[in-house]
Amino acid sequence: MGTLNVNLLAVAAVGMVLAGCQSTRFDNDGMDRVTPRPAPLQSAPSGSVTQSQLPPPGGANQFPTAPTTGSGAAPASQGTQVASLPPANAPDVTAGSVAGVWNASLAGQSCKIATPQTKFGQGYRAGPLRCPGELANLSSWAVSGKQLTLYDAAGGTVARLYSSGSSRFDGQTSGGQNLSLSR
């Protein structure tokens, strides 16, 4: 039985070699069937480079006026942190719009915060998932008007945020670090 397999293998190998020899790929006539190379493209015209001075700045009125909060709040010079003031166009926040899982960004680090609508502490339970810094102590959250407030287990404020889009909150922690929540 082993000799029969070897003989069959030898016949198959010889057949493949002979089939390869019948190919027209190696004939000189086969080279004529190759398509000629396309003609090179002409270069596109280019303009000349010029040098000139920029016009002078627009003066004192070149920048738009600073936005206002529209709430008549005290100016920053009296000790109020401007970043903690609500934006004039911030929508009112509801517990239903906050409930879910959020991607938090604090001082260049990110984590997730779960905000289910389970009553707890100052409002609802909150679950930080591997969050850095002040967010690691987060245990509850509550909404009041335009503001979302995050609390620790002792009831102290961890952060205050305001809606800055349909799926985004921006604000600061009690320590003054910028905090963003997004979905």
Side-chain angles (χ1 to χ4, degrees):
M1 189 82 140
T3 309
L4 180 62
N5 286 339
V6 172
N7 288 341
L8 268 165
L9 185 60
V11 169
V14 169
M16 288 187 342
V17 168
L18 291 176
C21 290
Q22 292 181 1
S23 172
T24 59
R25 287 187 305 190
F26 301 114
D27 293 343
N28 287 338
D29 292 350
M31 295 307 265
D32 295 339
R33 287 185 227 133
V34 175
T35 57
R37 293 173 52 182
L41 297 174
Q42 293 181 353
S43 62
S46 62
S48 60
V49 177
T50 60
Q51 179 179 357
S52 63
Q53 294 292 326
L54 291 174
N61 296 329
Q62 74 181 9
F63 298 108
T65 58
T68 61
T69 61
S71 63
S77 63
Q78 294 180 0
T80 303
Q81 289 195 13
V82 175
S84 66
L85 296 174
N89 59 350
D92 284 342
V93 181
T94 64
S97 67
V98 175
V101 177
W102 295 87
N103 298 312
S105 176
L106 174 68
Q109 296 180 322
S110 59
C111 67
K112 292 193 180 283
I113 296 176
T115 54
Q117 283 186 290
T118 306
K119 289 282 190 184
F120 182 79
Q122 303 268 346
Y124 301 98
R125 182 175 299 279
L129 306 171
R130 299 187 188 110
C131 289
E134 296 172 82
L135 290 181
N137 301 323
L138 180 64
S139 68
S140 65
W141 61 276
V143 294
S144 177
K146 299 174 183 279
Q147 183 173 297
L148 165 63
T149 307
L150 306 177
Y151 299 100
D152 60 18
T157 301
V158 173
R160 288 189 172 89
L161 302 114
Y162 298 94
S163 178
S164 56
S166 62
S167 296
R168 185 173 179 89
F169 285 90
D170 290 299
Q172 283 188 331
T173 64
S174 317
Q177 292 183 311
N178 290 333
L179 172 63
S180 293
L181 301 180
S182 62
R183 292 193 219 228

